Structure formats: C-alpha cells, structure tokens
Amino acid sequence: GENVGLHLPTLSVQEGDNSIINCAYSNSASDYFIWYKQESGKGPQFIIDIRSNMDKRQGQRVTVLLNKTVKHLSLQIAATQPGDSAVYFCAENTGNQFYFGTGTSLTVIP
Amino acid sequence: DTEVTQTPKHLVMGMTNKKSLKCEQHMGHRAMYWYKQKAKKPPELMFVYSYEKLSINESVPSRFSPECPNSSLLNLHLHALQPEDSALYLCASSQDRGTLLTQYFGPGTRLLVL
C-alpha cells in the first residue's frame, strides 16, 4: 500500500495549549486528505479534510495544513481540551483507494 | 445525517459458531466498506461494495463473507473464525467510490473469538 506515516506515535500536551500532529505521505498524485479522530472503543470520526489544490483549511479549533512540496500534512488543534484525547489518523485518497497512516495518540494533561 | 450504525456492539463467538455483523446507513451512499482494526493500528480495508456489487476483496479469508442486500445494508457473515480474527470491525460508507469522497464510519463491532 501507500506509505502514509506519522512522525510521532504519541503526543502529550497541557490543557489549553495548541497541539500539532504531523503526517507524511509518499504519493504525490494523492488529491484528497482527511483527518480522523478515534476515541477509545469508537469508530473513526471525521474531523476535517483538504483537497490537493489547497494548502490550508480551517474548522472549529482545528486547522489542516498541506505542504505538497515535501508531502506533509499537519493537524493543528487550538486550545486543546481533555475531550481531544484520542488517536488521530490521517488518510490519503489516491484514485479509488484510501490509505491510513499509523496514528498518533494524543493525551491531554489537565 | 452522517450516521452509520452497526450491530451488535460486542460479539463473543467460538471457533465453530456462525454469526453476522450488520451495518446500515440512510445517507443514500452507494459505496460501503468493511474494515478490520487491531488495537493501536489503523483500519485495514477488507471489502468494498459499490452499487451493491463487490468491487474490492483485499485477499480476505473465505471465513469472512460479505453481503449487500440493498443499498442501505451491508452484512459480514462469520464462520469458523480464529482467535487472531478478534478485532474491531468497522463499517464505512461514502457517496460513491472515487476521489474526493469522504468515508463515514460506524462505531464498530468489537469481536472476540474464543
């Protein structure tokens, strides 16, 4: 499959701080990317997406940045809250296929 | 409404049992997916249905048998499973197959094979 990897498997942040979760991908032809949040015992939940013709997209407290030059994707969470504790997956859409990264476990320290 | 539902939430079965997992969506999506997820790992694609036809089978053992009775329902029939098949089984759907289409996931069925 495609190589969609994350730089850090775990991340701990203080409540109220900003979090940055990174993802590298290898297929320059990928045209769509999604960030999913998966809480313990639940299915992945869509957070935000971005198309390859964009380099930034903002949602509520979240921002996704896409750097096609270095094939890098990041998810920024502003004012991280305890409810943000979860595993975050990036997913890359190439043709008809979706490829998931290995996941980053985010722990928010109260 | 972006809800995908799955039943049961939990399932314990022996290696000689036959059971089925069910998935339902009412978003009018024409593509539905089964994924297997082991602890601390990303979801692994098993099957893809597009317009109620199986379009991808990712070399899944025959003890897993998918079925798509209609455009809203997706089943996964289980028979003679092994303990290593214990995992979270996720169903997802998207508007269609192809690019630029978000997949929405259900909560999963936690399966334990004894």
Side-chain angles (χ1 to χ4, degrees), chain A residues 16-31:
Chain A
D17 287 352
N18 297 336
S19 303
I20 300 177
I21 300 172
N22 296 304
C23 181
Y25 64 95
S26 58
N27 190 342
S28 56
S30 294
D31 51 14

Side-chain angles (χ1 to χ4, degrees), chain B residues 8-62:
Chain B
K9 292 187 72 172
H10 303 276
L11 180 62
V12 180
M13 59 187 292
M15 289 189 285
T16 59
N17 292 157
K18 284 186 182 181
K19 296 287 184 183
S20 296
L21 309 184
K22 297 186 184 303
C23 174
E24 190 167 2
Q25 56 87 15
H26 294 289
M27 296 178 278
H29 288 178
R30 303 316 300 264
M32 296 185 76
Y33 312 78
W34 279 115
Y35 287 84
K36 173 183 177 180
Q37 186 179 28
K38 299 287 262 185
K40 301 187 189 302
K41 297 289 187 182
E44 299 173 18
L45 183 65
M46 300 174 71
F47 301 105
V48 180
Y49 272 82
S50 179
Y51 289 84
E52 300 156 52
K53 289 185 167 42
L54 183 64
S55 61
I56 292 180
N57 175 342
E58 290 284 358
S59 303
V60 179
S62 59

Side-chain angles (χ1 to χ4, degrees), chain A residues 32 36 38 93 95-96 98 101, chain B residues 37 42 97-100 102-103:
Chain A
Y32 182 54
Y36 287 97
Q38 187 172 24
N93 186 206
N96 289 330
F98 255 95
Chain B
Q37 186 179 28
R97 282 199 65 215
T99 61
L100 310 179
T102 306
Q103 289 189 19

Side-chain angles (χ1 to χ4, degrees), chain A:
Chain A
E2 301 295 333
N3 179 20
V4 182
L6 296 177
H7 295 310
L8 293 172
T10 61
L11 177 66
S12 295
V13 298
Q14 288 289 142
E15 181 178 358
D17 287 352
N18 297 336
S19 303
I20 300 177
I21 300 172
N22 296 304
C23 181
Y25 64 95
S26 58
N27 190 342
S28 56
S30 294
D31 51 14
Y32 182 54
F33 304 86
I34 297 177
W35 279 102
Y36 287 97
K37 172 188 180 183
Q38 187 172 24
E39 297 175 87
S40 181
K42 297 184 179 180
Q45 176 188 2
F46 172 88
I47 302 174
I48 193 167
D49 59 359
I50 189 167
R51 299 187 178 190
S52 59
N53 62 351
M54 303 170 70
D55 52 23
K56 181 178 180 179
R57 190 149 190 245
Q58 288 186 286
Q60 188 177 11
R61 280 201 308 118
V62 294
T63 301
V64 55
L65 299 177
L66 176 62
N67 185 332
K68 294 181 287 294
T69 302
V70 295
K71 289 182 282 194
H72 183 268
L73 191 70
S74 69
L75 176 70
Q76 300 178 0
I77 305 174
T80 314
Q81 302 168 0
D84 295 327
S85 293
V87 176
Y88 290 81
F89 292 102
C90 63
E92 170 187 20
N93 186 206
T94 304
N96 289 330
Q97 293 287 74
F98 255 95
Y99 301 95
F100 283 84
T102 52
T104 292
S105 177
L106 174 66
T107 300
V108 181
I109 304 165

